[in-house]
């Protein structure tokens, strides 16, 4: 029986319930999310600096030239 595209009476049929309790997040998962957050922040900073440089390149010559 497929796990996908279940319809009709299969949905409500008798099946064992699985309850997960006390699942702790692993250190690897925490480090991975910390790396993702750091990469996101670094990307945002690079984007902001790049935008500031682009605006300065466009506006700078008119202000000081």
């Amino acid at each position: 029986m497929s796990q996908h595209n279940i319809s009709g009476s299969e949905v409500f049929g008798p099946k064992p319930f699985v309850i997960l309790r006390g699942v702790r997040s692993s250190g690897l998962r925490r480090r991975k999310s910390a790396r993702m957050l750091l990469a996101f922040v670094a990307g945002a900073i690079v984007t902001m600096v790049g935008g500031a440089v682009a605006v300065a390149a466009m506006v700078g010559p008119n202000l000081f030239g």
Side-chain angles (χ1 to χ4, degrees), residues 36-62:
M36 257 178 42
L37 180 64
L38 183 64
F40 177 77
V41 170
I45 290 172
V46 167
T47 302
M48 287 177 15
V49 168
V53 168
V55 168
M58 289 188 311
V59 176
N62 293 334

Side-chain angles (χ1 to χ4, degrees), residues 13-62:
K15 53 189 159 199
F17 289 100
V18 178
I19 299 174
L20 298 174
R21 295 184 187 180
V23 177
R24 297 179 184 162
S25 82
S26 67
L28 179 63
R29 187 177 301 139
R30 273 179 292 205
R31 279 184 296 218
K32 193 179 210 181
S33 65
R35 277 193 308 249
M36 257 178 42
L37 180 64
L38 183 64
F40 177 77
V41 170
I45 290 172
V46 167
T47 302
M48 287 177 15
V49 168
V53 168
V55 168
M58 289 188 311
V59 176
N62 293 334

